[in-house]
Amino acid sequence: MSDPTTTLTRERADLLESLRRHRHFLRFTVQGLTEEQSRLRPTVSALYLGGLIKHVAATEASWLRFAEGGAEAMNRNWGPDAHTRHWHLQTGETLAGVLADYEGVAARTDEFVATVPDLDADHALPEAPWFEPGARWSVRRVVLHIIAETAQHAGHADILRESIDGQKTMG
């Protein structure tokens, strides 16, 4: 799976720096919020900050499993309650807990990206209507996808936070 002697190439360093930057922007949006504020829905969207961070962490973890072991390892758990499980804090879940989980996911992803022997190693994508049949993604493509997902949701989070109290991530 990984080789601890793999050196951190410029490409790997760039991928990790980009991912870390977007994670920072996402986490920044919840700084100083109360538990109640992290569950507010200040726009017409059903999104709220605590749920959004939970979703990003779960998505990153799922794609990491894919990069390590293919579609079988992804364990997407599709089903009628998937949206609730992946996008909403459940009874007993807290913003602090979601952030801690995300930190653990981030550390595992960073270690994998730094040490995986071959960024070109690939797996067939899981069957889904949004994937081309027979398509394969390399580890590099998975990391780029995680970066894009994180950046997109950091933008959503920034809008939500600004709607709550005017705080902006940038500017």
Side-chain angles (χ1 to χ4, degrees):
M1 177 175 80
S2 64
D3 176 3
T5 63
T6 302
T7 58
L8 194 61
T9 64
R10 183 174 182 146
E11 178 184 19
R12 291 171 193 258
D14 287 348
L15 290 169
L16 288 169
E17 190 279 329
S18 182
L19 183 53
R20 288 174 184 151
R21 176 178 309 195
H22 292 297
R23 285 186 193 129
H24 167 76
F25 291 148
L26 179 60
R27 286 190 298 257
F28 185 84
T29 63
V30 298
Q31 286 184 347
L33 287 183
T34 65
E35 192 66 38
E36 181 180 276
Q37 288 173 313
S38 77
R39 294 171 186 260
L40 289 176
R41 292 185 172 112
T43 67
V44 297
S45 171
L47 297 177
Y48 61 96
L49 290 166
L52 194 58
I53 291 173
K54 178 182 178 179
H55 165 73
V56 172
T59 299
E60 182 172 323
S62 182
W63 280 110
L64 176 61
R65 289 190 303 273
F66 171 83
E68 291 173 319
E72 306 78 36
M74 203 170 193
N75 189 22
R76 291 293 297 188
N77 292 325
W78 297 114
D81 65 339
H83 187 269
T84 299
R85 283 193 327 268
H86 296 283
W87 286 89
H88 300 286
L89 300 182
Q90 304 302 298
T91 302
E93 289 183 311
T94 64
L95 178 60
V98 169
L99 286 167
D101 289 344
Y102 188 30
E103 193 68 33
V105 168
R108 287 189 299 278
T109 301
D110 290 357
E111 175 66 20
F112 178 76
V113 172
T115 61
V116 64
D118 185 5
L119 291 174
D120 290 321
D122 66 0
H123 299 288
L125 288 171
E127 289 186 29
W130 45 87
F131 294 133
E132 179 182 330
R136 300 180 70 84
W137 278 10
S138 67
V139 170
R140 179 183 297 100
R141 178 65 185 93
V142 169
V143 174
L144 291 169
H145 181 70
I146 293 170
I147 292 167
E149 281 271 331
T150 305
Q152 178 179 11
H153 290 313
H156 295 146
D158 197 37
I159 291 167
L160 294 171
R161 179 60 188 257
E162 188 174 357
S163 297
I164 292 170
D165 65 4
Q167 177 179 301
K168 299 176 187 176
T169 303
M170 299 174 69

